Every structure is written in C-alpha cells, then in structure tokens.
Amino acid sequence: MPERLAEMLLDLWTPLIILWITVLPYIYMAPMAPSQVLPNGSSLGLNVLSEEQRVLNRSKRGWVWNQMFVLEEFSGPEPILVGRLHTDLDPGSKKIKYILSGDGAGTIFQINDITGDIHAIKRLDREEKAEYTLTAQAVDWETNKPLEPPSEFIIKVQDINDNAPEFLNGPYHATVPEMSILGTSVTNVTATDADDPVYGNSAKLVYSILEGQPYFSIEPETAIIKTALPNMDREAKEEYLVVIQAKDMGGHSGGLSGTTTLTVTLTDVNDNPPKFAQSLYHFSVPEDVVLGTAIGRVKANDQDIGENARSSYDIIDGDGTALFEITSDAQAQDGIIRLRKPLDFETKKSYTLKVEAANVHIDPRFSSRGPFKDTATVKIVVEDADEPPVFSSPTYLLEVHENAAINSVIGQVTARDPDVSSSPIRFSIDRHTDLERQFNINAEDGRITLATPLDRETSMWHNITIIATEIRNHSQISRVPVAIKVLDVNDNAPEFASEYEAFLCENGKPGQVIQTVSAIDKDEPKTGHFFLYSLLPEMANNPNFTIKKNEDNSLSILAKHSGFNRQKQEVYLLPIVISDSGNPPLSSTSTLTIRVCGCSSDGVVQSCNVEAYVLPIGLSMGALIAILACIILLLVIVVLFVTLRRHKNEPLIIKDDEDVRENIIRYDDEGGGEEDTEAFDIATLQNPDGINGFLPRKDIKPDLQFMPRQGLAPVPNGVDVDEFINVRLHEADNDPTAPPYDSIQIYGYEGRGSVAGSLSSLESSTSDSDQNFDYLSEWGPRFKRLGELYSVGESDKET
C-alpha cells in the first residue's frame, strides 16, 4: 500500500510541476525596480549611466545570472515565451531596440525588439540539442548604436520523459550447464534511455522478466539473469526463451518501457550412464573367416552428447576372450567385435562373451547417480566351412648325405583334412621351387625321394614347397616349405690354397724358409681340417730341400744347403703330398716350383733369369728393352719407305671427279664390256701426252714402233669426245704392230644391246663364225697362244 500511495501522489504532482514551470515566467513579469532580478531570469536589467558616472563609478549590471529554461516537446497554438530581456535604460519610451544573436536566433528563438520578449517558435528536442548559447544587446532605435556591451546567456532545454528504453545489443544468447544449482549466473543485459539521467527519473531503468519464469530471474537494477530452478535437465528441455523488459521512471506507472529476448541453451554434462539397447546379441561367423574381420557391432546408447557420450568397450568375461577382441568406433559410438585367432568348427562350435561399455569422461559431481557403465552378453556361433588340408608341421627340415643313392627316401610330410567329412590328400612338389627336378614325392604318403645326385660343394641347401590337395575338392590346397640340408662326405682331396711359386736366393743360408704354403679342402668335417704333408717316397731324401709342418696347419719349405747357382739349374720342382683326416682319408700331390734368383745382400730378389749373366757390364734390362724398341722402329721406317717407293714408281692416273663425262667412259677394271661404264679411265682421254705422244704398251714392247700422224694437233680438254674416239680408233685400226691402248684385256666382255656399238678395233661380224683371228699371231709371242686358241675354236665349230 505505501508503494501504491506514492505512485498516486507522483501521478498527481507531475502535471502541477509542469504547469508551475510553464506559468512561472508570467508571474514575474510585473513592474520591478531597475535593480530587481527575476528568479527565473525572465527579465534582464541593464543600467545606462552618464559619462561622468561611468568614469567615477564602476558600472553595475542589472542581472546576476545568465540562464533561461524551456520545456522540450512543448507544442501549442502560439510560440512559447522563454523569457524577457530588459535594460535599466529603458524608460518605456520605445527608444531602445533589443537585438538577439547566436544559436538558433531568428530560426528557433525570436525576440520582440521593443519589449525584449523571447519566444521559441519551434518544437525543441533535448536529445537533439540540450542548450543554446545566445547574445543579447540593447541599441538605440534610431541610430542602432549599442547602449551597453552585449551580454551572453544560455537557454537550456528541460527534459521530459519522451524516450523509451532500448536494448541495442538484443536479441541475446547465453548458455548455462545443465543441472546447475539455484542462482547460477547466466548473463546480464543492458538497456539505454536517451532522456536526461540527471534530471528526474526519466532515465532511471528497472528490469523485469515478462516470460521465462519460473526457470530464470533477473535483478531489477543490474539486469543480471540467474537460474531460478535447480537441476534443470538438458535431456528434458534444452532451450528456453526469456522476454526481458526495461522500464524508466524507476518502474512506476506512466514510465516508458522496452523489451528484448534472451535464448538460454543448457549445455551437456555427463549425468547419464551408457545403456545397451539389448542385453543379448547373436552373431554367426564362418570358421575360415580372415583374421581381423569384423564379426558384429554392439552399441550402448547414452543420452549425453559429444565427449560425455563417448564410451570404451571391453570383453570382461567369456570363453572366447583369447579368440576375439572389441574396439571402439569413435564416429558411430559403438563397439566392433573382431577375430584375433583362427576358428575351428570341429573343435568348438560356439562362444559366449560378456562385453562392457563405460564412459570415458566421468564427472565426479554425478558419481552418485550410479556406475557409468553397462554390460551385455554376446553369443557367437561358428559355421562349418570346407577347409584346406593341414600339415602336421608348419615347416620341415630334412637331411641327406651328398653321396646318397638315387631314389633313396629323404623324409616324409603328412597332412590331413580338418573337416568332419575328411577327404583323401594328394601330395606334389611345386616345380617352380625345384627347377632341376632333383626330388620326387609319393603322391599318396608324402615320401620325398632323391631324383638326381647331390653335391654339397655345389649347393648345401635346397628349399622346395610341397603342395597338399584334397581329392574331392581340388580348390582346397595347402603349401608347406621343406628345407633339405646336404650333409658332407669326404669326397674331395686337399690341394694348395693357390698357385705358389717360390724364389730361392743364390746367397741363401741353410735352413732358410723359402716358402710357406697352406692347403684347402672343399669338404667341411665336423672336427675341422687337419692336413698331413709329405714328400714323394722317391724324394724323401731330397738333397736340396726339406719340409716342416706348422701349428696353423700350414707347411714351410726350407733349403738344406747354400750355394745354389742358377747357371747350373734355374728351376727346381718339389712334389708335396697333402692328405686330409677324413674317413677314409683322401690325398693329392701338388708341385711347388722353386726358382733360383739373384738377390741383394739383404735378401731382396733382383733377377731370376739366366740371361742376366750375358748382359754387358753396366747394361740394365731397361736399357736393353730401349735398344730393342729402337731397332724395331727403324725396321718399320724402312718397310714404309720401300712401300712408298714402290707406289711412287707406278704410273699416275689423273682423275677429275668433276668431269661430267665420267659417268659414260670411266673404266677402272678389266673387262666389263660396253655396258660397263666403270671400267674405263677417263684420264686416258684427257691426257694431252696421250694425244700428241706415243703410248707404249705395258705388257710387251712391239717390234715396230707406230708413229702417230704429224698432222694431228693437240686436243684440248673440251674436245668432242665422239670425234676424239673416232680418231683414236682410226689410228689403232691402222697400227700393224700392237693392239690399241684399250686392249683386249679391258674389253674382254662386249656386253649386250649396246646402242653406241663397240669401241674395240676388233670389229665383230654378224656372227662369231665369220670372225678371222689369224692376225693375232702377228701381235707377238703373248698373242700367239691366243690366236691358236681361237683357231682351235673355229676348227671345233666346223667339226
């Protein structure tokens, strides 16, 4: 009731206060003494003194304050009277004029230049402009001269409650954890009011909740929003809408208000345990499933979200804990059961597992709600499948001596069909692992036999693969590796480790070690190698050398005496018998070559050749080699010189590769006939000496020298070839002593189908039988035999 009574009194006095402020200026407009000042400042008194008074006395203003007030948002039929300006010099004779200047003068505020009344001609808004600074001055009406200095004053706009509160940042969003205690702070909101906060209660705000109760509350002055109910559950309701109001005038009636909305979201906490959707799960899996295959999924539901809903899965009990495992799927939040070890339908047909789901992140505040875990039973049934054969061992190791007989049994492999309906097994060897086919296997019982002889020194290990196949189902096969080790037998005699060659100094001493040799044996006895060395029986009493066995299984050869001479004997051969310790023992004879050499005083070998004795004194082997090289070089130079001289004596043949006639008449070989354009030398036609001079034959010298005609002139290189050939042909036909230069040896083959005809002086008739070869006998001894041959040919034809 007191609060309600206060509100009623405030509502009653508010219009009275506004009315008092409005009519107050008119109350003080009555005539006053020149020095009287209006309390509201509506009248401004000014003193006008004489010149002498202004000099002798300090001027005294007729006003003491400089502010006027006007109510904002006031609207009426006439302008609002703000106040009045009045000077003490105004006797009322209308000889003084009032002038107003400054903010809003003439536009917002207007002055009566006679009475000094100031009116507001426009509606004012304090939120737009709160005060105006103006300047008042009294001047002479006729001359406009100032009667006193200008005076500055302020007109303030008085506030009224004309602006409602506003939430500039709304609507708002906030979060609070679920299950929070009562009074947990959610957020705070802020509203603003454009009214004057220092004048009245226009800007005094009070906050309240219009919607959102009873879940949330708000403090009226600070606008802090808190939870009004404890333990709000997100799983029951996750989001709340709260409507908030801000009211000015201290929240009293008549004040203005503004509203906004706040959306409150409850965040999740881990307050719910996981729970399996069913207590028993059934899965079936074939026995031949691949290891790591997912058999099934189980899931525990959790009403929480995010990290609070994450659960880990484990197998905590059951008869298949060693064969199965469970992993957590972080995306689907379920557990995946996988196979760890192979299954066997014939051994066990079903398994039972107990799986547990437990939250990963537990909030200790809610541990009293019970254990955050749950369990379920999983039953897995194994289905029968046709399985491949199973060997009795994953690998086999067999041993065989290298001298084992062919077809002897090395070992045996066994396999069985694990299925209930057992199938017979057939064995075979993967020939890709036995390319040389050294082994065989019995297809029925798996016995492995030797097919070819073995040699341990060639290959000590043989790795093959045995295949077992079901006879009823050939697709069911299994493989097993078999390693066969070849055992050693003593089948190799020892021998020298390398080709030894010993050197004996002529100035050596008796008992000096000439050479140390060692032996090797390709066999590998279990107790290691032990060699026996001896000389041949017929050389047991060798006068020059003896042997000595060393502790490291090597042998030293010693000289019995000194004074060896390489001129008497340059090389000694010492046969040594080497025996091993095998059963039975094997032995071999190796010969050591001992060369007698000349050595320096400190035993360094210098020369081992007998020829070194016949070398001149002071002539070394290097000098001898240099002399021999010089002799060989001189012989090469002589041979080259003779060869060049021989080539130089041969006639030079001039060739001109650029002559266009070369492709017609060039002849480089004998024979070829008229169709052979490569058989004639064009240089013969181009040689000027061959035209003017006489070209003798190369084979024989004719008895009568044919002299060429004196009237023939030299023919230049550009002469007509056809005319040149005709002239030469005419000369050759009229020469009784020798054939022409293009002799019979060049034109041994006339060719076929020549368009140009034969260039030979042996003109052919229509047939070979018409040709007479008797004149060949007149050409000399070498052509006589040719004539006889052709004559015999003609006689034969006639016969």
Side-chain angles (χ1 to χ4, degrees), residues 286-323:
E287 62 174 331
D288 59 349
V289 69
V290 180
L291 297 182
T293 302
I295 297 174
R297 291 174 176 260
V298 296
K299 185 173 183 179
N301 299 317
D302 195 324
Q303 296 182 8
D304 298 322
I305 59 175
E307 290 294 319
N308 297 321
R310 283 188 57 192
S311 297
S312 61
Y313 295 86
D314 294 294
I315 299 176
I316 60 175
D317 197 5
D319 54 1
T321 55
L323 278 73

Side-chain angles (χ1 to χ4, degrees), residues 664-665 680 685 719-731 742 758-759:
I664 302 175
I665 55 176
F680 193 79
L685 301 178
V719 72
D720 187 10
V721 177
D722 188 28
E723 181 180 357
F724 179 80
I725 293 176
N726 290 333
V727 172
R728 285 304 181 114
L729 181 60
H730 178 74
E731 291 177 356
D742 52 344
S758 176
L759 300 178

Side-chain angles (χ1 to χ4, degrees), residues 263-278:
T263 302
V264 181
T265 303
L266 299 182
T267 58
D268 185 59
V269 296
N270 190 12
D271 58 339
N272 293 282
K275 184 70 175 177
F276 280 104
Q278 55 193 75

Side-chain angles (χ1 to χ4, degrees), residues 137-450:
Q137 190 172 24
V139 299
D140 186 83
W141 183 269
E142 296 178 355
T143 63
N144 286 331
K145 290 182 178 181
L147 299 179
E148 64 178 11
S151 298
E152 186 177 85
F153 66 98
I154 297 174
I155 299 177
K156 287 189 175 182
V157 181
Q158 289 184 334
D159 182 53
I160 64 172
N161 189 18
D162 60 342
N163 291 279
E166 294 182 356
F167 292 91
L168 300 179
N169 297 324
Y172 297 88
H173 296 271
T175 59
V176 63
E178 65 171 333
M179 311 302 293
S180 297
I181 62 176
L182 179 66
T184 302
S185 177
V186 179
T187 186
N188 68 319
V189 296
T190 303
T192 60
D193 195 320
D195 294 326
D196 191 356
V198 297
Y199 181 79
N201 294 328
S202 298
K204 185 178 181 181
L205 303 181
V206 175
Y207 298 91
S208 61
I209 293 179
L210 301 182
E211 294 182 17
Q213 295 173 340
Y215 306 105
F216 301 96
S217 64
I218 188 170
E219 293 185 359
E221 290 79 16
T222 61
I224 297 176
I225 301 170
K226 300 179 180 181
T227 58
L229 289 179
N231 301 329
M232 288 190 292
D233 192 0
R234 184 199 65 85
E235 289 73 31
K237 185 175 182 180
E238 184 176 5
E239 192 173 88
Y240 296 85
L241 181 64
V242 181
V243 179
I244 302 171
Q245 174 184 271
K247 189 174 183 180
D248 59 11
M249 297 299 292
H252 299 294
S253 61
L256 303 179
S257 63
T259 60
T260 187
T261 59
L262 169 66
T263 302
V264 181
T265 303
L266 299 182
T267 58
D268 185 59
V269 296
N270 190 12
D271 58 339
N272 293 282
K275 184 70 175 177
F276 280 104
Q278 55 193 75
S279 59
L280 180 62
Y281 293 85
H282 291 273
F283 301 108
S284 60
V285 56
E287 62 174 331
D288 59 349
V289 69
V290 180
L291 297 182
T293 302
I295 297 174
R297 291 174 176 260
V298 296
K299 185 173 183 179
N301 299 317
D302 195 324
Q303 296 182 8
D304 298 322
I305 59 175
E307 290 294 319
N308 297 321
R310 283 188 57 192
S311 297
S312 61
Y313 295 86
D314 294 294
I315 299 176
I316 60 175
D317 197 5
D319 54 1
T321 55
L323 278 73
F324 302 95
E325 64 179 358
I326 187 169
T327 58
S328 301
D329 187 350
Q331 300 296 330
Q333 295 293 333
D334 55 6
I336 305 173
I337 301 175
R338 300 179 185 274
L339 182 66
R340 292 179 56 188
K341 294 183 179 180
L343 299 175
D344 188 7
F345 173 80
E346 290 72 25
T347 302
K348 190 173 179 60
K349 297 178 175 58
S350 65
Y351 297 89
T352 301
L353 304 175
K354 187 177 182 180
V355 296
E356 179 186 75
N359 279 152
V360 177
H361 303 285
I362 298 177
D363 194 335
R365 296 177 301 171
F366 308 104
S367 58
S368 60
R369 290 175 174 263
F372 285 78
K373 63 179 69 176
D374 193 18
T375 59
T377 303
V378 178
K379 188 172 183 180
I380 301 174
V381 177
V382 181
E383 298 177 351
D384 188 21
D386 192 1
E387 300 176 83
V390 178
F391 283 95
S392 59
S393 175
T395 59
Y396 291 89
L397 175 62
L398 306 179
E399 293 181 349
V400 57
H401 286 87
E402 60 179 326
N403 61 350
I406 297 176
N407 295 327
S408 60
V409 178
I410 300 174
Q412 185 179 10
V413 297
T414 58
R416 65 178 182 85
D417 184 5
D419 297 322
V420 176
S421 57
S422 180
S423 171
I425 307 298
R426 184 177 184 85
F427 299 96
S428 61
I429 297 178
D430 186 356
R431 291 303 177 183
H432 292 91
T433 61
D434 185 24
L435 297 176
E436 298 179 359
R437 294 182 176 271
Q438 294 181 290
F439 306 96
N440 291 325
I441 189 171
N442 189 303
E444 305 297 334
D445 56 12
R447 291 187 178 183
I448 302 174
T449 57
L450 186 63

